[in-house]
Amino acid sequence: MASPYIEIPVGDRLVKVSNPDKVYFPEHGYTKRQLVEYYIAVGEGILRATRNRPTTLERWPAGVFEGARMATREDYARGQAGYGAGKSDAFYQKRVPKGAPDWVRTSKIAFPSGRFADEVRPTEVAVIAWAANLGTLTFHPWPVRDGDVDHPDELRIDLDPQPGTDFSDAVRVALGPARELLAELGLTGFVKTSGKGGVHIYVRIEPRWTFTEVRRAALAFGREVERRAPADVTTRWWKEERGEQVFIDYNQNARDRTIASAYSVRPAPHAPVSAPVTWDELADVDPHDFTIATMPDRFAKVGDLHAAIDDRAFSLEGLLDLADRDERDHGLGDMPYPPNYPKMPGEPKRVQPSKDTDNRS
């Protein structure tokens, strides 16, 4: 008979793990206990990525099995976003769960709708382990710190391969025009695999710009990379226009849009993780090699490759100057926001081109 729960020491805490032998990843038989132990093993790294940041929990309490799915907007509308009979198998937890221990801290954040929520704010590895026991595979921290949740301290560059392209294409863009532009701007980027097929680059920035300004800087970065590699890169928001290119998702810098943190586990059968890598090794890595089974040994050997990310915060002025130039010299204004946003100032019409009747001849 499976044990109903165990207690694992994490720092000064004892974290209860219920149903520790429950299989979360059937392909290799990885259990909930192994998930929790993974996060403890990389605790220093995952905490650096999430510490004092409001963090959305991507919960898969039934595990990753054939047919499992994330909740859709329709599920939320029907009140079926959550685990249980007749409901989706996975969901995003944007408010601190009921019954959380008193040592789980929160941050109050505002959504684009104007509504507010108290989100989990990790302050110690025990919080990560506690969340993993709830079935949290992926941690989605906001690019802000508690105390100033309206001014991001992180620029996030998401290189997302589209159908017909793959990880190697994202790597080529990262090591070529993206890295080149970072160097020209005097910015230090920290790179990681997405845990799926893409590449993420993080730049620590001074927390003195709004979400709107940081998103504008990300769009300017994407457009400049696109100019340098037009056959390989696109910033077009509508999927029907992207083609077989790597999409630089500037909207990942909009309020309430988040990226899987470094060391986060992704919901795929082989339990991959989002892995920090060095620029020098990026060309040769295989993202499938980084899993909850392999990352602890790597972490023990090389440590947290993002350990220096907080050593210096950079200015966005160079990128905002690029954005001004784009608008002044090229007539390039704003681009569409995600669909859950209210209409934003200066935003073009939010309708995909094939459905835009005004542009039909």
Side-chain angles (χ1 to χ4, degrees), residues 245-282:
Q245 295 175 294
V246 175
F247 172 50
I248 299 185
D249 190 354
Y250 58 89
N251 267 331
Q252 294 289 27
N253 294 273
R255 180 184 291 273
D256 192 33
R257 296 282 286 200
T258 56
I259 295 178
S261 76
Y263 303 102
S264 270
V265 181
R266 309 312 303 272
H270 64 293
V273 305
S274 179
V277 296
T278 67
W279 285 100
D280 288 342
E281 69 181 335
L282 180 60

Side-chain angles (χ1 to χ4, degrees), residues 174-246:
L175 290 175
R179 193 181 188 189
E180 178 184 86
L181 180 55
L182 288 171
E184 291 175 13
L185 293 165
L187 304 176
T188 297
F190 289 80
V191 67
K192 67 184 183 71
T193 68
S194 71
K196 292 187 176 179
V199 173
H200 297 158
I201 304 170
Y202 286 5
V203 178
R204 186 68 78 242
I205 59 174
E206 299 165 358
R208 57 189 179 97
W209 290 277
T210 65
F211 278 96
T212 300
E213 290 169 321
V214 175
R215 175 183 173 276
R216 187 167 185 258
L219 177 56
F221 185 95
R223 281 172 166 163
E224 180 60 26
V225 173
E226 185 177 14
R227 271 189 288 268
R228 299 181 184 202
D232 298 322
V233 177
T234 182
T235 55
R236 294 183 180 274
W237 175 246
W238 302 107
K239 291 182 179 180
E240 65 187 35
E241 294 187 307
R242 293 177 192 169
E244 295 183 359
Q245 295 175 294
V246 175

Side-chain angles (χ1 to χ4, degrees), residues 33-212:
R33 177 175 183 162
Q34 288 173 287
L35 174 70
V36 174
E37 290 175 339
Y38 160 75
Y39 274 122
I40 295 171
V42 298
E44 178 187 348
I46 184 70
L47 190 59
R48 178 172 286 108
T50 60
R51 188 194 301 271
N52 281 327
R53 298 186 185 278
T55 300
T56 299
L57 310 179
E58 184 180 331
R59 294 177 58 186
W60 291 77
V64 179
F65 55 89
E66 186 175 356
R69 66 181 183 86
M70 283 296 301
T72 64
R73 281 189 292 173
E74 289 74 19
D75 291 324
Y76 283 99
R78 292 191 298 263
Q80 294 185 335
Y83 178 59
K87 298 183 178 182
S88 58
D89 304 295
F91 58 99
Y92 292 105
Q93 182 97 46
K94 293 194 173 187
R95 290 172 171 80
V96 62
K98 292 180 180 180
D102 58 10
W103 40 267
V104 174
R105 302 289 183 253
T106 62
S107 291
K108 188 173 185 178
I109 46 87
F111 298 123
S113 64
R115 299 174 66 187
F116 292 86
D118 292 316
E119 272 202 341
V120 170
R121 169 171 57 92
T123 55
E124 54 184 299
V125 178
V127 175
I128 302 295
W130 162 82
N133 175 60
L134 297 179
T136 301
L137 298 189
T138 310
F139 292 82
H140 296 266
W142 283 45
V144 298
R145 307 272 191 177
D146 185 67
D148 188 356
V149 294
D150 294 316
H151 294 89
D153 72 339
E154 202 162 65
L155 173 69
R156 296 172 174 179
I157 301 164
D158 180 8
L159 306 181
D160 183 11
Q162 299 302 288
T165 64
D166 58 21
F167 179 73
S168 66
D169 297 296
V171 167
R172 187 172 66 254
V173 172
L175 290 175
R179 193 181 188 189
E180 178 184 86
L181 180 55
L182 288 171
E184 291 175 13
L185 293 165
L187 304 176
T188 297
F190 289 80
V191 67
K192 67 184 183 71
T193 68
S194 71
K196 292 187 176 179
V199 173
H200 297 158
I201 304 170
Y202 286 5
V203 178
R204 186 68 78 242
I205 59 174
E206 299 165 358
R208 57 189 179 97
W209 290 277
T210 65
F211 278 96
T212 300

